[in-house]
Amino acid sequence: MPTTRRDFLHLAAAATGAAAVNGLVPQSVSAALPSPLRADRAPRALRILILGGTGFTGPHQVHYAIDRGHHVTVFNRGRSQADLPAAVVHLQGDRNAPDGLAALEREVANGTKWDVVIDNPTTLPFWVRDAGRVLGDATQHYVFISTISVYADTSRAGMDETTELAAYTGADALAETMQTYQASRGGLYGPLKAASEREAEKWFPGRTTVIRPGLIVGPRDMSGRFTYWPVRIARGGEVLAPGTGHDAVQVIDARDLAEWTIRMAETRTFGTYNATGPAGELTIAEMLGGIRGAFDGTTKMNLTWVPADFLAEQSIRGWSHMPVWVAPRDDNAGFSRVSIERALNTGLTFRPLAMTARDTLEWFRSLPSDVQARVGGPLAAEREAEVLRAWHARPGA
């Protein structure tokens, strides 16, 4: 069956949030964490508070900020482990608990202030409200990491930051909890992120930066949403490839997103920005070809392109079974053609795709086998082979 927008939101939300919410990110994901492309010293050192900091993009932010000469504090539950620099200050708390911000409250009561607060993990608007109550007078810059899934209509290409947002239709967005959010199976993901953006502007008026990433990829990605492709292509043989090859895709390396976020903090750049990549349009064929070209060429493999309709007949779904890709039709026609002009104009840059692919594969291979089994991708080799056999056996093939 085709992937609907509701499916998109459920799959994106589940993959993005599950590991962080449930504390499932093992310490071993920090292995083979590559260094930033560049880490010149910043013009001045900032005091940076990162809410989260041990999940996917957070450690990249922390490492880059420290290398740039900033002073970093992280606030999280302390359940996930990350190999952070010794200079980082750790505060522990749980934003779901009634007194979960006590550690921050004590810091503020003692006169601590931060030049910028970066809020990575928030999905629930009351998290932003509570952070605003505690930190509203303790910082001059609040960076909220949102998502391009806030948009109400993804059927047209070129969505920019002025595109209408998904509407929350419940009784009270601030009353939503992790339980009600998870029960919605993604139906509340975009609306609650949009409501969280509004809450940020309420508590940090005129000093908020909203960043709306697309699909975030690279080392530390526990979702398998991009990792599947470097792992699969490196294995070689006949590779099931979705569509015709001409469909657009968009991804952003977590390190590019993290480093640009820190630079936005350094320049105190406010406003709302879509953040995905690359700078120009990328097709699924170009992406898979770029990943293939990242390796030494000794692995023999070939791509077999299978049309979207046939994949649907085989219950192979875009985004879930075929990561990154979705058939560009109906409600999803513009999903992978989001405008990032504003972000490019503020200095968003991108690593080469080959570097992302090589680093992701290196990171994956450094993981224990049980973790590899969880993050290697959503399509088992046996199921891929079945679909390929069915494709080759169709009448007239």
Side-chain angles (χ1 to χ4, degrees):
M1 64 186 296
T3 303
T4 66
R5 174 163 173 76
R6 182 182 177 88
D7 296 327
F8 255 138
L9 298 181
H10 173 51
L11 292 164
T16 302
V21 168
N22 296 313
L24 297 178
V25 181
Q27 187 169 9
S28 54
V29 301
S30 295
L33 185 65
S35 300
L37 277 184
R38 57 196 177 282
D40 299 331
R41 304 294 283 189
R44 69 183 184 94
L46 301 179
R47 292 175 58 86
I48 301 175
L49 171 63
I50 297 179
L51 306 181
T54 59
F56 183 13
T57 59
H60 297 303
Q61 293 171 348
V62 172
H63 280 273
Y64 186 68
I66 292 293
D67 287 345
R68 294 277 284 175
H70 301 306
H71 308 288
V72 177
T73 298
V74 296
F75 173 83
N76 51 61
R77 295 183 301 173
R79 296 183 182 180
S80 301
Q81 300 297 316
D83 183 18
L84 300 183
V88 174
V89 176
H90 294 260
L91 299 177
Q92 190 167 334
D94 186 346
R95 297 169 78 179
N96 273 318
D99 60 348
L101 300 185
L104 289 177
E105 291 171 343
R106 287 192 295 269
E107 290 292 319
V108 173
N110 290 332
T112 302
K113 294 182 181 293
W114 292 275
D115 295 292
V116 60
V117 175
I118 301 174
D119 191 344
N120 285 316
T122 290
T123 295
L124 301 174
F126 86 82
W127 285 14
V128 182
R129 177 202 63 197
D130 292 352
R133 287 173 174 173
V134 175
L135 300 170
D137 295 327
T139 187
Q140 292 302 309
H141 190 184
Y142 177 80
V143 179
F144 180 72
I145 306 300
S146 187
T147 170
I148 60 170
S149 293
V150 295
Y151 294 119
D153 180 9
T154 57
S155 64
R156 63 180 182 87
M159 292 180 296
D160 64 17
E161 293 80 0
T162 66
T163 299
E164 181 182 0
L165 302 186
Y168 173 80
T169 58
D172 182 3
L174 290 170
E176 299 289 356
T177 65
M178 289 306 302
Q179 289 72 32
T180 59
Y181 160 66
Q182 291 170 345
S184 78
R185 294 185 57 80
L188 289 175
Y189 182 57
L192 288 184
K193 279 286 195 178
S196 296
E197 290 184 9
R198 291 189 290 272
E199 201 68 15
E201 293 288 353
K202 172 183 175 181
W203 289 97
F204 304 91
R207 48 198 168 107
T208 295
T209 302
V210 174
I211 295 176
R212 296 171 178 163
L215 178 58
I216 307 171
V217 305
R220 296 188 61 88
D221 176 16
M222 297 296 291
S223 74
R225 291 177 295 172
F226 171 85
T227 306
Y228 171 81
W229 290 115
V231 171
R232 177 63 191 91
I233 288 172
R235 193 169 76 235
E238 184 181 18
V239 177
L240 174 63
T244 65
H246 299 297
D247 302 329
V249 294
Q250 288 183 307
V251 298
I252 184 167
D253 191 302
R255 296 164 294 179
D256 293 328
L257 176 64
E259 294 164 19
W260 174 68
T261 300
I262 296 300
R263 296 196 298 273
M264 293 283 277
E266 292 171 355
T267 56
R268 192 167 287 184
T269 302
F270 304 130
T272 302
Y273 301 86
N274 293 332
T276 186
E281 185 167 297
L282 178 71
T283 67
I284 182 66
E286 291 169 335
M287 188 190 82
L288 297 186
I291 293 172
R292 180 180 186 178
F295 306 128
D296 58 15
T298 59
T299 300
K300 293 184 178 180
M301 58 81 66
N302 64 286
L303 300 172
T304 296
W305 295 95
V306 178
D309 289 342
F310 187 86
L311 292 177
E313 292 171 5
Q314 296 291 316
S315 298
I316 299 297
R317 305 172 70 183
W319 197 264
S320 52
H321 301 107
M322 292 275 94
V324 182
W325 171 88
V326 65
R329 57 181 63 165
D330 303 326
D331 190 38
N332 301 322
F335 191 81
S336 295
R337 289 185 167 89
V338 176
S339 171
I340 58 169
E341 182 178 357
R342 290 199 74 202
L344 292 175
N345 289 338
T346 62
L348 177 61
T349 57
F350 305 98
R351 284 165 169 73
L353 176 63
M355 179 179 292
T356 298
R358 284 194 300 267
D359 290 349
T360 301
L361 184 62
E362 179 184 358
W363 167 79
F364 174 83
R365 287 174 170 171
S366 74
L367 300 174
S369 58
D370 62 323
V371 180
Q372 288 185 3
R374 294 209 307 268
V375 304
L379 188 64
E382 297 79 7
R383 181 66 182 123
E384 179 195 28
E386 289 176 359
V387 176
L388 287 169
R389 284 196 297 271
W391 172 247
H392 294 307
R394 73 195 188 283

